Amino acid sequence: MTAGMTVVLMMAAGLSLPGLVHCFQPLFSFNGNSTTHRDITQRAVLRKTAEVCRDIAASEGRDFSLTIDDSLSAGKVQEACSSTGTSTSLLSSVIFQTSIANMYFSNAKVDVVFALSEEHHFDDETFQGGRDVITAGVAAVKASVKLENFVAGRWTLGRVCHTLQDFYSHSNWVELGNKAPYSALIRPDQPLENLADVSTPTCRNCTGGNCDNNLLPDLLQQGLLTSGYFNIFSSAKPAGKCSHGGSFDQTSRQDPVGGISKDDIGSSHGSLHHTAADLAVNATMELLEDIRAAVGDKNFLRLMGLSQSSVLCFVIDTTGSMSDDIAEAKRVSFNIIDSKRGTQQEPSAYILVPFNDPGFGPLIITTNADVFKDNINKLSASGGGDIPEKCLSGLQLALTAAPPSSEIFVFTDAPAKDAHLKSTITALIESTKSVVTFMLTDVLASRRRRRNSDRLSSRAMNQMDAQLYRDLAQASGGQAIEVTKSDLSVATSVIEDSSASAVVTVFQVVRNPGRPDNFTFTVDGSLRNMTAYVTGASSLTFNLTSSSGLSQSSSQSSGPLASSTTAGNLRRLSLNTDNQTGSWQISVDSNSPYSVKVTGQSSVNFIFNLVEAHEGAHGDFSLKEGRPLSGGNVSLLVSVTGSNTLTVSEVTLFDSSGPTEVNGSVQSIGSGNFLVTFSGVPAGNFVVRLKGEDSSATSRSSHSSFQRQASTQIRTSSISVTAQANNTNVEPGSTISIPFTVATTTSGFVNTSATGTFTVRANNDRDYTSSSPSTVTAAAGSGGTANGTVTLTVPGSAVSGTDVTLTIEAENAAASDVNYAVLRLSVIAKVTDTTRPVCQVISTSTNCSSSSPLCSSSKWEFVANFTDGVNGTGIDSITVRQGNGTLNTSTVAGVGGENITVINYSASCCAQNVELTAVDNVGNVGTCVGQARESTTAAPVTTAAVNTTSTGGHTLSMSRCLWLTAAVSLLWK
């Protein structure tokens, strides 16, 4: 057994023991009084996002009425940030809520991946190591944002926040009487001061279980910083040192006994728990502010996921027969762009992935609609070689680049040459919860290809080829729309439907094999613009019945309940639901496979995430990667958005293609969040359906039953796959090894007596060189587990900030069952530049009038130099953070060879303050502030260069002349 595997097994053993969690609770506080990492992260994100929106509104002269405090919700912030005073579009906070969830789930995952790492928790007085973790993580976040890899940036940010937040729970910062965050933790160019050295005693024994006064008085008087020691295997610690404390910390049993943890109200220093949590919130906001200054307000809001609209994402076959399809993709995308530009429904980003054979890509991701237009305009249909194309390789790029819960549209008329990627694509669909709809042209009606000399006809896919796309569409909650090329323009209406704001799925079902059936769905008062999609054979018929008893058959293209259009296998019905809330029914008559999907626009929606329980005293949960285990318990964290008056009565897992249905036990954990537990979920494919009552004022009736359904399927598996990377940041030119474990399970638990061989597939979306065993075997005496290692080599040319998604799959010998682990890695160059750009003020001149009515006729000027030093990475950008004057910059060489950026700023005397922000090429931020004061003379005043020295975040000294008409200071942020 390798050393790496030993560590993984030790961690697994430790995580199965009670009470291992030694930090703020990751996700839930079941006693209702303690603050969790989830709470801290969400509070900080909401407050900082609201502050940015407030500042943007102020700069644009708009009102911003939201009170920024700890009572904020994602919906309140979304509404305040989206307000333009004239918009009547529906608001949805689903994208924002999903992004916040990604951050706090990543935060909680630190307690699983790095459970025994003192650096990641500021244990054992490892202050420098903890700050190094934060420094590297923040650099990775900034690099990811620079490349617009916002998904990777959120996952990294969540991990960084965990370490930063733990400092306030695990150290004695609070006990020292500090009321503000320790800013040096996020400023690596500042010293960590007053640290207790290894020989300095810090604690005494707790008395009778009371640890309130166990910190030594000398430590407090000298203001020395310490943190508790923690070890689950050994009681050894340096003499006289504090322990973390708790039933699982072995060091807390050795003198001095007890601990100083403030993880929850029941901890050794639990009386200070809420003070520590509040400081952790403020520290997280300080970290977010640093990132904001580095990336700018627009990109910061994108990092937070504050968007009213989803991305527009196309994956397009560019081979010879696709000219009509490409033209239609251009038409529909241009129509969406031109009709929504400048509105709240404008796509938040644009993604384009072309594919053919033998190539696919490059991936184009941009927020600039014109850039997207230019790139899609450049697409042309040519070549293609043999018939199959690399469709799934292109789709893999889109799935890993697009934000979670995106809708992706694939255009093709050819089979997939890379069908072996089907399970990888399915894993990514389930992991990202993205919806994939295939626009398939000229699918042959029979399984046999036509034989003729026509090149275009010979490319057409048969039914078996198309079934691959249908399976993937079903797994994602999308559709496989099969049309002729001449009818494609009618079918693409589904793309325009999906680009509307606040689209929700009310009901969706697939019948394969087909059979006649009756389906009901609930129309609530918040729903608008409802649409039903029915796909199936041309012989399919249906009948629609409203809650008031009105009916309409499929033979009526226009009737009392809907107007419909038909294109290929798609029937699109625009429903008339006015004053007809309640239970509707659609009866389908077909023995061929078919699907039914009902959508609408509504602010009321929900998101869900699979979570898994950790046994022990804390009884908390973390994000569950991969598929849940057949026959075991399944837990979901469900978050409902769009109403404060929702009552959830039922959450169900049901097989959309069969009769199996499992009801969950629903436990409210506050603020629209519910923990739902399902017992003994059998093998199968399930979707989540939520029902309840809504009495919100937006409903057309005082009380309205509502129903929503998640798009993505949940598949159970009898295979367990676990994999953990020791480091999620990988340097260019390096190789990382990732151990994994595979096991057969019974009733949700590892079958320790099982033996067998599993097929292993490891794929990454960057096509980086990797190696892995093709099979692993659980032999007799192995405890039912099989182990292996995947190695991934990042090329030296990889750009810092690039994200890599690695999928490790294991399939049983019968090829009837598969499970997977998905790991997200970031390529980050080693951080060598931690020095912030330095500002040197050259001069301030003014002829501002002392009479305010005359201020617009006078101007003042500010001149300064910014430099990043000889060994710095260079200044990337300089922006005006505050002020509405004119900024001009030029670059000159300094006497030491460094590049100096010369700043000339001028403004009206009506705006007598300026704040300039300089960001270097790795995201270090320096800020310069100037202020003009009223003058009784118009003569310019010039000052000598001002040198400043900074430590601990405060300016220590600055030359001043009392007669200056302008005061200038240097602030570090």
Side-chain angles (χ1 to χ4, degrees):
M1 181 179 296
T2 66
M5 196 65 64
T6 301
V7 171
V8 170
L9 293 178
M10 287 174 64
M11 289 180 62
L15 287 170
S16 67
L17 296 172
L20 177 58
V21 174
H22 64 291
C23 62
F24 289 117
Q25 287 297 100
L27 293 178
F28 309 133
S29 172
F30 292 102
N31 62 26
N33 295 318
S34 296
T35 304
T36 66
H37 277 291
R38 179 173 67 92
D39 299 326
I40 293 168
T41 303
Q42 184 159 268
R43 282 162 58 186
V45 168
L46 291 175
R47 283 170 55 182
K48 181 53 63 177
T49 301
E51 286 181 5
V52 174
C53 291
R54 178 199 62 197
D55 295 347
I56 292 173
S59 68
E60 296 175 351
R62 294 187 287 108
D63 292 334
F64 187 87
S65 58
L66 183 66
T67 300
I68 301 177
D69 56 25
D70 286 336
S71 68
L72 293 175
S73 66
K76 288 180 181 179
V77 175
Q78 181 83 56
E79 182 177 4
C81 291
S82 302
S83 176
T84 61
T86 59
S87 174
T88 58
S89 63
L90 285 169
L91 296 174
S92 173
S93 59
V94 163
I95 297 174
F96 189 26
Q97 188 71 53
T98 299
S99 299
I100 295 173
N102 287 343
M103 286 183 269
Y104 63 63
F105 276 125
S106 175
N107 185 316
K109 199 73 173 179
V110 172
D111 280 326
V112 178
V113 181
F114 303 106
L116 306 182
S117 167
E118 60 268 17
E119 290 90 353
H120 285 82
H121 306 284
F122 278 105
D123 292 332
D124 300 8
E125 299 182 317
T126 54
F127 296 109
Q128 184 61 55
R131 185 169 75 170
D132 289 345
V133 169
I134 294 171
T135 299
V138 170
V141 173
K142 293 175 180 177
S144 294
V145 173
K146 195 171 185 178
L147 294 185
E148 298 191 343
N149 293 328
F150 298 104
V151 177
R154 285 183 206 119
W155 283 102
T156 304
L157 178 57
R159 292 192 295 268
V160 174
C161 287
H162 184 105
T163 299
L164 178 65
Q165 292 161 6
D166 269 2
F167 169 82
Y168 298 93
S169 172
H170 294 188
S171 76
N172 65 328
W173 182 259
V174 173
E175 287 87 343
L176 289 173
N178 293 293
K179 305 299 183 185
Y182 190 22
S183 297
L185 294 179
I186 65 170
R187 297 171 184 170
D189 55 344
Q190 295 181 7
L192 295 170
E193 298 181 324
N194 294 337
L195 305 182
D197 61 41
V198 70
S199 62
T200 300
T202 56
C203 266
R204 57 191 174 193
N205 286 328
C206 298
T207 305
N210 186 334
C211 295
D212 289 346
N213 297 308
N214 63 334
L215 285 165
L216 292 176
D218 287 349
L219 183 88
L220 300 176
Q221 291 169 7
Q222 297 175 49
L224 296 180
L225 191 63
T226 187
S227 68
Y229 281 72
F230 180 89
N231 199 303
I232 65 173
F233 301 116
S234 170
S235 62
K237 64 180 176 182
K241 289 297 185 181
C242 300
S243 291
H244 176 275
S247 61
F248 207 66
D249 176 19
Q250 300 301 311
T251 74
S252 66
R253 291 158 175 74
Q254 176 176 307
D255 288 345
V257 299
I260 62 170
S261 164
K262 294 163 285 294
D263 291 340
D264 57 39
I265 58 175
S267 298
S268 302
H269 283 198
S271 61
L272 296 173
H273 165 73
H274 289 297
T275 303
D278 290 342
L279 268 176
V281 171
N282 292 334
T284 305
M285 291 181 65
E286 185 180 49
L287 175 67
L288 295 175
E289 178 63 26
D290 176 77
I291 294 171
R292 170 196 180 184
V295 304
D297 287 352
K298 180 179 178 181
N299 276 340
F300 178 81
L301 293 180
R302 292 179 66 194
L303 177 65
M304 296 300 101
L306 186 73
S307 174
Q308 185 49 42
S309 57
S310 59
V311 301
L312 183 64
C313 184
F314 285 174
V315 180
I316 303 178
D317 186 342
T318 60
T319 44
S321 60
M322 287 291 294
S323 57
D324 292 341
D325 307 59
I326 293 172
E328 177 56 24
K330 291 178 183 178
R331 185 198 68 79
V332 69
S333 63
F334 286 14
N335 184 56
I336 292 171
I337 290 169
D338 295 339
S339 64
K340 299 181 185 300
R341 193 191 294 262
T343 72
Q344 292 186 35
Q345 296 185 51
E346 182 177 0
S348 57
Y350 304 89
I351 297 175
L352 176 64
V353 184
F355 70 90
N356 47 56
D357 180 28
F360 59 94
L363 168 75
I364 305 297
I365 181 168
T366 179
T367 56
N368 188 320
D370 294 324
V371 170
F372 179 81
K373 277 187 169 184
D374 289 343
N375 279 279
I376 202 171
N377 258 329
K378 293 175 184 175
L379 296 183
S380 60
S382 61
D386 55 2
I387 297 172
E389 313 298 344
K390 290 196 170 181
C391 178
L392 301 193
S393 297
L395 178 54
Q396 182 181 21
L397 280 180
L399 281 165
T400 55
S405 304
S406 293
E407 186 141 10
I408 299 170
F409 295 93
V410 181
F411 292 78
T412 187
D413 64 356
K417 190 170 190 174
D418 44 10
H420 63 277
L421 289 176
K422 179 181 178 181
S423 58
T424 299
I425 297 300
T426 304
L428 292 174
I429 284 171
E430 294 174 8
S431 176
T432 63
K433 299 185 180 66
S434 288
V435 177
V436 183
T437 291
F438 293 89
M439 313 300 294
L440 308 176
T441 50
D442 290 347
V443 178
L444 295 179
S446 73
R447 294 179 179 270
R448 185 180 62 189
R449 293 191 183 279
R450 287 174 287 185
R451 296 183 178 178
N452 55 50
S453 59
D454 188 335
R455 168 75 174 169
L456 301 187
S457 294
S458 67
R459 279 181 47 81
M461 72 184 83
N462 61 29
Q463 290 294 309
M464 186 176 297
D465 298 328
Q467 190 59 46
L468 168 66
Y469 299 135
R470 298 184 191 118
D471 291 345
L472 293 174
Q474 179 180 348
S476 73
Q479 301 173 84
I481 298 172
E482 303 167 28
V483 294
T484 63
K485 292 186 182 293
S486 59
D487 284 341
L488 182 59
S489 60
V490 180
T492 53
S493 59
V494 301
I495 302 176
E496 299 187 65
D497 293 342
S498 73
S499 69
S501 64
V503 176
V504 302
T505 299
V506 177
F507 174 78
Q508 186 168 9
V509 68
V510 176
R511 286 288 182 261
N512 185 14
R515 64 177 184 273
D517 212 337
N518 301 318
F519 309 103
T520 60
F521 60 92
T522 301
V523 175
D524 64 81
S526 72
L527 286 164
R528 305 179 191 173
N529 302 323
M530 295 191 67
T531 307
Y533 307 93
V534 181
T535 65
S538 58
S539 58
L540 178 149
T541 61
F542 61 85
N543 193 71
L544 183 67
T545 304
S546 73
S547 59
S548 60
L550 291 174
S551 293
Q552 181 176 330
S553 71
S554 53
S555 61
Q556 298 174 269
S557 60
S558 181
L561 299 181
S563 58
S564 66
T565 57
T566 301
N569 72 334
L570 173 70
R571 289 87 163 164
R572 176 184 179 275
L573 292 81
S574 179
L575 303 184
N576 173 21
T577 60
D578 288 344
N579 301 316
Q580 297 191 72
T581 59
S583 181
W584 285 51
Q585 183 180 85
I586 183 167
S587 302
V588 180
D589 186 5
S590 178
N591 290 310
S592 299
Y594 62 86
S595 69
V596 179
K597 183 175 185 177
V598 180
T599 68
Q601 289 178 270
S602 172
S603 297
V604 179
N605 205 355
F606 78 101
I607 63 173
F608 78 91
N609 285 280
L610 284 163
V611 294
E612 57 185 344
H614 296 307
E615 301 295 333
H618 288 292
D620 208 345
F621 291 73
S622 65
L623 183 67
K624 165 66 178 173
E625 294 279 10
R627 293 173 175 166
L629 302 178
S630 303
N633 294 341
V634 174
S635 297
L636 302 179
L637 174 59
V638 174
S639 300
V640 181
T641 65
S643 175
N644 296 322
T645 55
L646 290 173
T647 302
V648 175
S649 59
E650 178 183 306
V651 180
T652 305
L653 292 178
F654 78 97
D655 189 335
S656 64
S657 61
T660 306
E661 187 170 305
V662 184
N663 292 319
S665 173
V666 182
Q667 177 184 0
S668 174
I669 55 176
S671 302
N673 298 297
F674 302 87
L675 181 63
V676 187
T677 303
F678 303 87
S679 299
V681 178
N685 303 331
F686 302 91
V687 291
V688 182
R689 182 178 62 201
L690 184 146
K691 292 184 177 181
E693 298 288 328
D694 183 15
S695 57
S696 67
T698 59
S699 299
R700 295 196 296 259
S701 58
S702 58
H703 289 276
S704 177
S705 296
F706 74 93
Q707 170 185 329
R708 297 290 184 270
Q709 183 173 317
S711 297
T712 309
Q713 285 187 342
I714 296 175
R715 301 188 180 197
T716 61
S717 174
S718 60
I719 301 173
S720 167
V721 180
T722 57
Q724 298 294 351
N726 291 331
N727 192 350
T728 54
N729 294 340
V730 191
E731 292 184 27
S734 67
T735 297
I736 184 172
S737 296
I738 302 165
F740 64 90
T741 300
V742 183
T744 299
T745 66
T746 302
S747 299
F749 297 96
V750 173
N751 185 341
T752 57
S753 62
T755 60
T757 298
F758 303 89
T759 299
V760 174
R761 291 182 291 268
N763 294 287
N764 70 86
D765 61 332
R766 297 293 176 182
D767 204 26
Y768 290 164
T769 300
S770 68
S771 65
S772 63
S774 58
T775 61
V776 293
T777 300
S782 66
T785 63
N787 301 313
T789 300
V790 176
T791 62
L792 178 71
T793 300
V794 178
S797 59
V799 178
S800 187
T802 303
D803 61 313
V804 186
T805 301
L806 174 66
T807 307
I808 303 172
E809 307 161 37
E811 186 176 58
N812 63 4
S816 60
D817 194 4
V818 65
N819 208 340
Y820 59 85
V822 177
L823 295 95
R824 301 166 183 86
L825 310 172
S826 295
V827 178
I828 300 298
K830 187 175 182 179
V831 179
T832 57
D833 178 11
T834 59
T835 303
R836 296 162 184 262
V838 176
C839 174
Q840 185 181 49
V841 177
I842 302 302
S843 66
T844 302
S845 63
T846 181
N847 57 356
C848 291
S849 170
S850 59
S851 175
S852 57
L854 302 177
C855 64
S856 61
S857 62
S858 302
K859 288 189 174 183
W860 67 288
E861 295 181 351
F862 175 68
V863 181
N865 291 340
F866 260 121
T867 180
D868 199 34
V870 177
N871 297 320
T873 52
I875 291 176
D876 180 60
S877 64
I878 297 178
T879 56
V880 180
R881 188 99 183 262
Q882 179 185 353
N884 56 5
T886 301
L887 174 67
N888 292 300
T889 63
S890 58
T891 303
V892 298
V895 293
E898 73 277 14
N899 288 327
I900 297 175
T901 302
V902 181
I903 299 162
N904 287 273
Y905 174 84
S906 62
S908 161
C909 287
C910 299
Q912 298 186 10
N913 296 281
V914 64
E915 181 179 344
L916 303 172
T917 298
V919 182
D920 68 16
N921 281 292
V922 293
N924 295 311
V925 181
T927 304
C928 209
V929 174
Q931 180 181 22
R933 295 177 179 174
E934 291 185 355
S935 175
T936 57
T937 174
V941 177
T942 302
T943 72
V946 178
N947 297 307
T948 65
T949 304
S950 156
T951 184
H954 302 286
T955 300
L956 294 182
S957 63
M958 178 175 285
S959 300
R960 294 175 181 261
C961 295
L962 295 178
W963 49 268
L964 288 179
T965 59
V968 183
S969 63
L970 180 66
L971 299 180
W972 296 107
K973 293 201 172 182

